[in-house]
Amino acid sequence: MSLHLDIPDELFDSKPFYRNRDAAQAVLREIKEHIKKTGEPHRWRHHTHSTPVVGSRIVYIGEFDLPESHQAADRHAPCPCCSPRAPKYSRRGKIAWFPDEHVIRMIGPKCFQTLNPEGHWEAVEIFEREEAERRTISYLVKNLHLNVPAREVIQNAVPVLEAIEQVHGTLQRRINEVLRLDLWRHVGRGSLSVNVEGRRMKRTRGGAQEVVTFLDVRHFADFPGFPMFSPKTCRLASRATGCAKRLSLIDFGDEVQERVRAMTTEEQAKAARILSQGISSAANIFQEANAIRSGFGPMSIANLKGWTKHAGCPVHLAISGDERNFYIGVDENHPMRIEIPTAFWHRCGELPKILTVANWEED
């Protein structure tokens, strides 16, 4: 036997208080707060629980989930379209305004489809488009101001990035032009390995067993600073400057709301991409710079030094260094010095944290 809910008769009375959409939109926050607090959308003060007339026009103005306290099947909400006295839904409920009746109903996510399939899907399409536009506008209005501090951090970091780029470039030239060594092949996976001799038993054709030796590759140490040896030109400073320049295109000063609302939908979407991608791209550049720099730190130098001294190291190198100098050569008697400028060790700064539009939720 299906579960029936105690639904007071007065909930079925029409409450035609919303003659236009603006009036309906004005109580949206109140409705969502009620649902969040009680888990009973059908008991909101102006909800009309009667079944809509077949073929009614509908406008979806909001969407909601019931709170966790009402996710059990017996605590789901009833739907005036198809299940007015029994639990029906808990996720993606619709707040629907009916312009012909001037009422608001809370209904299941697809329940109106049984009464007017074409009207339901047309309303869904319009709602999703309007929601995307609303979220983009909200995102820009709340976050556009972050482009100013982000640009300041990026611009202040340029000398640091230039120093890291310079040291990285010099190291690559020494490796390629002097040492003529494909070091990246041995470190490019973020670990250092050595060759070691092993022994195992092997049966001969005559059936006897003998000990044979073989070379085995074994892990020596993790090497998170491996990007220091990347053969790819990093162009850290110019890429960061490009991020700052793109962010400057959406600096609207004190006219953020006016400028955003005056934009077309395409312009709003483009501005949102510039903002989120500009900051996230700069963060990726900072992360790359930090990875390169970590290779010149004392722990990495110690691991590299131990690796090159190991008898099973696959390359013939000598590596050492300190905060001001990095040395690399075919052996300890023939080191090549790479100067490390002071700016190399300065922090890049802290960029503002920002979500993408897809992950943005209004307060």
Side-chain angles (χ1 to χ4, degrees):
M1 183 175 178
S2 61
L3 177 66
H4 275 63
L5 300 174
D6 180 17
I7 306 294
D9 291 341
E10 58 266 25
L11 265 62
F12 292 86
D13 295 340
S14 177
K15 303 171 186 66
F17 307 138
Y18 302 95
R19 302 188 65 85
N20 57 60
R21 178 167 177 172
D22 286 345
Q25 207 82 33
V27 293
L28 199 54
R29 183 179 291 273
E30 177 191 324
I31 294 171
K32 291 186 177 183
E33 287 296 324
H34 168 85
I35 296 170
K36 183 178 179 181
K37 182 178 180 180
T38 68
E40 297 184 320
H42 56 290
R43 291 185 181 274
W44 176 64
R45 62 190 179 98
H46 288 164
H47 165 73
T48 295
H49 204 58
S50 61
T51 303
V53 177
V54 174
S56 295
R57 291 190 298 150
I58 191 172
V59 177
Y60 293 131
I61 60 174
E63 199 170 60
F64 61 88
D65 292 337
L66 299 187
E68 288 303 317
S69 59
H70 285 67
Q71 287 302 316
D74 62 342
R75 305 206 71 189
H76 287 183
C79 174
C81 295
C82 57
S83 182
R85 294 186 183 276
K88 176 67 178 181
Y89 68 95
S90 66
R91 300 283 186 188
R92 303 202 67 178
K94 296 286 195 297
I95 302 171
W97 173 57
F98 291 81
D100 298 327
E101 299 176 71
H102 306 158
V103 301
I104 292 175
R105 291 182 176 93
M106 265 59 80
I107 64 179
K110 297 181 180 178
C111 298
F112 187 71
Q113 185 180 359
T114 60
L115 302 176
N116 184 352
E118 183 179 343
H120 164 74
W121 289 113
E122 181 181 350
V124 166
E125 182 180 347
I126 293 171
F127 173 73
E128 290 179 347
R129 183 173 65 247
E130 291 177 344
E131 277 294 283
E133 293 173 2
R134 180 192 63 77
R135 285 165 62 88
T136 301
I137 291 173
S138 171
Y139 176 82
L140 290 172
V141 169
K142 296 286 181 65
N143 292 297
L144 263 179
H145 69 284
L146 296 178
N147 87 81
V148 175
R151 280 174 17 234
E152 290 178 355
V153 171
I154 294 170
Q155 288 161 356
N156 290 337
V158 167
V160 182
L161 299 174
E162 288 175 339
I164 295 172
E165 187 177 331
Q166 173 196 329
V167 172
H168 175 267
T170 302
L171 176 59
Q172 292 316 303
R173 287 192 295 274
R174 299 285 170 81
I175 292 173
N176 296 331
E177 298 172 8
V178 181
L179 297 175
R180 298 186 182 278
L181 182 66
D182 184 8
L183 189 55
W184 184 246
R185 179 164 63 94
H186 300 288
V187 302
R189 294 185 178 181
S191 64
L192 305 173
S193 299
V194 293
N195 299 319
V196 295
E197 189 177 89
R199 289 181 173 82
R200 64 187 172 198
M201 299 298 295
K202 180 182 178 182
R203 189 176 297 277
T204 65
R205 290 184 179 181
Q209 289 189 333
E210 62 179 7
V211 177
V212 296
T213 60
F214 67 96
L215 282 181
D216 189 18
V217 177
R218 292 186 184 174
H219 177 76
F220 178 80
D222 291 332
F223 184 42
F226 70 96
M228 70 183 291
F229 292 119
S230 173
K232 184 179 178 181
T233 303
C234 56
R235 300 189 305 105
L236 298 170
S238 61
R239 287 159 55 202
T241 300
C243 291
K245 185 175 181 180
R246 287 190 293 275
L247 287 171
S248 70
L249 299 175
I250 52 172
D251 185 353
F252 302 146
D254 297 329
E255 300 178 347
V256 171
Q257 292 203 31
E258 296 83 350
R259 295 283 294 276
V260 168
R261 296 186 188 282
M263 290 177 173
T264 63
T265 302
E266 292 75 15
E267 289 171 338
Q268 291 168 351
K270 182 178 180 180
R273 285 196 302 272
I274 290 173
L275 180 62
S276 63
Q277 292 177 5
I279 295 178
S280 64
S281 295
N284 290 336
I285 292 168
F286 286 9
Q287 185 176 12
E288 182 180 341
N290 289 332
I292 292 173
R293 180 166 52 195
S294 72
F296 295 86
M299 185 175 294
S300 289
I301 296 294
N303 284 336
L304 287 169
K305 195 170 184 178
W307 179 59
T308 57
K309 286 181 175 294
H310 193 284
C313 181
V315 294
H316 296 292
L317 273 179
I319 289 176
S320 61
D322 53 41
E323 286 192 358
R324 296 188 176 185
N325 302 284
F326 180 80
Y327 299 95
I328 185 169
V330 292
D331 56 51
E332 293 180 350
N333 298 320
H334 300 85
M336 290 181 291
R337 173 178 171 270
I338 298 173
E339 182 181 357
I340 300 179
T342 304
F344 180 92
W345 299 109
H346 292 171
R347 292 180 67 255
C348 289
E350 195 72 29
L351 287 163
K353 299 292 188 295
I354 189 168
L355 298 171
T356 61
V357 178
N359 295 322
W360 172 249
E361 290 291 344
E362 285 189 280
D363 295 334

